[in-house]
Amino acid sequence: MTSIFTVSVDSVEGSTLRGRVHVINPDVPSVPQETVFPLSLLVDAWWHLDNGFLSNEDSSEGGGGERYPFTEESGKAITAGMQLKGEFWKLHELILGKTIRVTKDGYLLTDDGKTVLEPRRKAKDVYELDRSNGYDGISHYVMTSGNAGEFSQCAADIVTSYDISPYRNAPHLSEAAVLEDPEELDVWDGLELGEDYSFAEIPYAEIVVTVSDAGYLEHMVAGMRWDTTMTGHVC
């Protein structure tokens, strides 16, 4: 899936994170206003680190590549030791759904991907499934649907404040302008979509996010940057 935003973290102080969201894909022309968006970013950063997708190696030439000021192994160790790591697993499943291991005929398996659960039941009879399925080298699997209502409630409980600055690098907008109708905003309006802009020229907004517990920011550090497909919408 094509990335939509590039997120940079400028500082983490207690329960407050300050950063920037670059709008790198004109198909989603503004930074989402709802609190589900910053929470989805925290979950996405956790997932990137837990899977070893961020490290202190930046191979980009334009200065806008993904990066983390520690090694891949350090990132994994941080997520493994997080006090709220169980919460992040739950939040990730609320956004993208849960992976359910099954036989090729759709019967539920244990987590080892080999043992059939007893009593034998098909996943479709137990879970509300979406259309995603496949084989990952361990077993066949199906996916549950995300839960937009529950994730929205989690965002309301966890994100105590969320502020977005006026946009930068958006020539048709005054940097001091107050946005009256952000739903109709297109930060790429006035820019040539076919142009090869450097990272420093891409439209962005600064964000300030405060959470109810500093543990939700335990994996976030100044200097990290990653590309994301997250918009706050649940699959």
Side-chain angles (χ1 to χ4, degrees), residues 50-170:
D50 199 56
N51 286 276
F53 294 150
L54 291 179
S55 70
N56 54 359
E57 298 181 5
D58 184 356
S59 59
S60 70
E61 297 181 358
E66 296 186 320
R67 65 190 187 194
Y68 191 66
F70 303 115
T71 63
E72 173 185 324
E73 292 73 19
S74 296
K76 289 182 176 180
I78 288 172
T79 58
M82 289 174 63
Q83 295 181 0
L84 298 177
K85 62 182 178 181
E87 287 289 309
F88 278 89
W89 278 111
K90 175 184 175 182
L91 291 167
H92 189 265
E93 290 177 354
L94 290 178
I95 299 172
L96 295 174
K98 183 177 182 178
T99 301
I100 307 296
R101 299 201 172 277
V102 296
T103 67
K104 65 179 180 179
D105 297 321
Y107 286 96
L108 293 169
L109 296 172
T110 61
D111 290 339
D112 66 10
K114 299 177 181 179
T115 308
V116 178
L117 280 172
E118 296 292 347
R120 292 167 62 90
R121 295 170 296 171
K122 286 194 171 183
K124 67 179 182 179
D125 297 328
V126 179
Y127 298 98
E128 181 179 344
L129 303 177
D130 71 9
R131 297 180 181 177
S132 298
N133 61 79
Y135 181 83
D136 61 3
I138 299 174
S139 73
H140 293 275
Y141 66 87
V142 292
M143 299 290 297
T144 66
S145 300
N147 190 322
E150 189 172 349
F151 185 65
S152 180
Q153 183 58 57
C154 288
D157 294 338
I158 294 170
V159 180
T160 59
S161 68
Y162 169 44
D163 296 308
I164 306 174
S165 77
Y167 287 86
R168 318 301 186 199
N169 296 340

Side-chain angles (χ1 to χ4, degrees), residues 38-53:
L39 182 58
S40 70
L41 295 183
L42 298 182
V43 175
D44 194 46
W46 163 83
W47 182 85
H48 273 75
L49 292 171
D50 199 56
N51 286 276
F53 294 150

Side-chain angles (χ1 to χ4, degrees), residues 10-57:
D10 294 325
S11 69
V12 179
E13 298 177 357
S15 299
T16 299
L17 176 148
R18 297 177 184 274
R20 287 160 288 154
V21 179
H22 282 77
V23 185
I24 62 174
N25 188 332
D27 291 339
V28 182
S30 62
V31 177
Q33 306 281 313
E34 300 81 10
T35 56
V36 289
F37 177 61
L39 182 58
S40 70
L41 295 183
L42 298 182
V43 175
D44 194 46
W46 163 83
W47 182 85
H48 273 75
L49 292 171
D50 199 56
N51 286 276
F53 294 150
L54 291 179
S55 70
N56 54 359
E57 298 181 5

